[in-house]
Amino acid sequence: MSRAAPRCCLVTALLLASAGPGLRAAEAPQRAAADAAFLDALTWGATPSAFARLTAEGRARWLNAQLHPPAESRLPPAAQAQVDALTPPGSLFERAQALNAQAKAAKDIADPEARKAAQQAFQAALNTAARNAASVWVLRALYSPDQLRERLTWFWFNRFNVHQGKSTLRAAVGDYLDTAIRPHVLGHFRDLLMASLRHPAMLRYLDNDANAAGRPNENYAREIMELHTMGVGSGYAQGDVEALARILSGVGIDMKPETPKLRPEHAADFRRDGLFAFNPDRHDYGDKVFLGTRIRGRGWAEVEEAVDLIARNPATATNVSRALATYFLGQPPDDALVARLAAVFTRTDGDIAAVMEALVREPALAAGRAGAFKDPVRYVFSALRMAYDERVIRNAGPVLGWLNRLGEGLFNRSTPDGYPLDAAAWTGPGQLATRFEVARQIGSGSAGLFKPALPDQPEEPAFPVLANGLYFAALSGTLSAATRAALAQAVSPQDWNTLYLASPEFMR
């Protein structure tokens, strides 16, 4: 590690030379550290290449591009090739039909051993679908240039959480993420809420596919208000939950390609989009009173009206703004900050990009960067981005394993509330011990990240480079004396990498 000093001096000299006459020598490292912290706060982790782009473009231009990315997700060719290989062909409807036929065929096999083998093959197909979807998520998080969109994709999925372990959701979670969540994370909140409401993964997870007139199921209606929008104690009552459940009756899933036979009086109200279906024969057409508003029984239009009432409720603006701020600050924000964000939410009709722009300009975001303890997903992703920058991993399996061990596995939160947003939830001694082991694996070598998943494929040689230009230019000066002393005692590059990834500064 002793060879790092000349490189450090060279990078610092280059920074000073490019700073211009308006920036004093003493200010250049501080500005570089501040830019790195700004980048780290809004992405899955600062990298040398991302830092270079930020400094070249300036914060304002960089932020505008992050807030308004192109509709199509972008990836480097090597990452895109893997995503294409991991993405199943056909629509979710077609895949669900094929899996349904596979399950039915397995069930109908008379021989017990053959039936068991066929059922295991069906479960293996579901497991593969979920694992591939999680691997795609990892690749997008690590390598998409639209990093703020990827951070928000995780946030909104976590808020509108579904668990892969229920029923056959393993086959649907990837589509839920890619069609209901990611396209809307920087749009209007109402559109995001409606996209989640119409997706079969959510309808199956919270049992609205079983919600019908005369047989109401309140699970989804309750969670929409309690978790997704208004929040506990925001003024709605049990009667509102019951009314919303009646409004949502008939909103469910239809696996059959043909239109069902319907009673003629409401047959024209039937709607479908892939697996999603609104079946008027299962809908309660009685009038309802929801959040103080009388809603006339008229089918799908009731759902549209109810979503409008929820999405534009002041409690939703406050609750969603508080959650966004907590996620990016790593700790609960004060009420005044939440009120400012909620005012933007209300004024822009729930424009998430506008709320995020307001949050970025809040002094609390800058003040909280040094103290916010990373949750496991952010820790692992930031470590990998720092270690390998633009070099694309070939196998996301180790990443998924680390996240599961750290307690924040993708698609693995079984309860509707999602993983905790507050950093304090992740600071227990067991978490830190496991995190040190993950730091050792990432810092000591390729850790299986560059071994293709295909059999008989050799692992590509790779070694993490954490003592890189970004470290010397912007990060080394932010380390405490204790951390610098520990790094100075490292006996090998592997040892140095492990100590750096386990340092308090990198954990935060």
Side-chain angles (χ1 to χ4, degrees), residues 166 203-223 238 241-251 282:
K166 182 166 184 177
L203 297 173
R204 177 64 52 84
Y205 175 60
L206 289 178
D207 304 315
N208 209 78
D209 58 338
N211 181 16
R215 302 190 309 278
N217 187 302
E218 299 175 3
N219 286 358
Y220 184 37
R222 177 173 292 103
E223 303 301 0
Q238 174 60 25
V241 175
E242 295 168 1
L244 184 56
R246 291 176 61 205
I247 291 167
L248 293 172
S249 59
V251 177
R282 294 169 57 82

Side-chain angles (χ1 to χ4, degrees), residues 391 394-395 398 445-452 456-462:
R391 181 170 182 183
R394 299 295 304 277
N395 184 0
S446 60
L449 295 165
F450 294 88
K451 181 174 176 54
D456 302 323
Q457 293 291 312
E459 184 169 5
E460 297 177 2

Side-chain angles (χ1 to χ4, degrees), residues 171-445:
V173 285
D175 186 86
Y176 177 64
L177 187 74
D178 291 339
T179 65
I181 303 297
R182 183 177 286 106
H184 304 287
V185 298
L186 282 161
H188 285 270
F189 177 78
R190 185 200 184 279
D191 296 337
L192 175 61
L193 177 62
M194 181 60 81
S196 176
L197 182 150
R198 290 169 57 95
H199 199 278
M202 178 59 75
L203 297 173
R204 177 64 52 84
Y205 175 60
L206 289 178
D207 304 315
N208 209 78
D209 58 338
N211 181 16
R215 302 190 309 278
N217 187 302
E218 299 175 3
N219 286 358
Y220 184 37
R222 177 173 292 103
E223 303 301 0
I224 283 181
M225 288 190 286
E226 179 177 320
L227 297 176
H228 301 169
T229 60
M230 297 170 63
V232 177
S234 58
Y236 68 86
Q238 174 60 25
D240 293 309
V241 175
E242 295 168 1
L244 184 56
R246 291 176 61 205
I247 291 167
L248 293 172
S249 59
V251 177
I253 299 170
D254 192 343
M255 294 284 292
K256 298 176 182 177
E258 64 273 4
T259 300
K261 293 181 179 179
L262 300 166
R263 292 190 292 270
E265 60 267 29
H266 295 301
D269 294 343
F270 178 76
R271 289 170 171 262
R272 84 175 314 151
D273 180 13
L275 288 173
F276 163 80
F278 173 74
N279 189 325
D281 281 4
R282 294 169 57 82
H283 181 67
D284 180 343
Y285 273 86
D287 292 350
K288 298 95 177 170
V289 177
F290 177 59
L291 297 177
T293 299
R294 179 168 294 280
I295 295 181
R296 182 172 55 85
R298 61 197 190 283
W300 176 254
E302 301 170 47
V303 180
E304 296 276 4
E305 185 176 358
V307 169
D308 283 341
L309 289 171
I310 301 170
R312 291 168 180 148
N313 191 286
T316 296
T318 298
N319 194 34
V320 169
S321 297
R322 187 182 302 280
L324 272 169
T326 300
Y327 175 61
F328 281 95
L329 295 176
Q331 56 194 4
D334 62 52
D335 291 341
L337 187 156
V338 173
R340 290 192 293 273
L341 297 181
V344 175
F345 186 103
T346 301
R347 185 178 70 250
T348 62
D349 195 24
D351 186 334
I352 301 167
V355 176
M356 280 304 307
E357 185 172 10
L359 175 58
V360 171
R361 300 186 190 286
E362 285 285 341
L365 186 69
R369 286 176 202 150
F373 194 81
K374 296 175 182 176
D375 64 281
V377 171
R378 191 173 174 201
Y379 173 71
V380 171
F381 286 176
S382 64
L384 292 174
R385 281 172 58 80
M386 182 66 173
Y388 292 105
D389 197 0
E390 295 181 312
R391 181 170 182 183
V392 178
I393 63 172
R394 299 295 304 277
N395 184 0
V399 184
L400 303 180
W402 293 327
L403 295 177
N404 285 330
R405 288 179 58 197
L406 289 166
E408 203 176 14
L410 304 182
F411 310 136
N412 272 349
R413 178 72 170 184
S414 61
T415 52
D417 57 347
Y419 290 111
L421 297 178
D422 192 336
W426 304 104
T427 57
Q431 169 77 201
L432 294 177
T434 304
R435 196 171 290 205
F436 185 84
E437 176 60 22
V438 172
R440 187 191 63 78
Q441 291 185 39
I442 295 175
S444 296

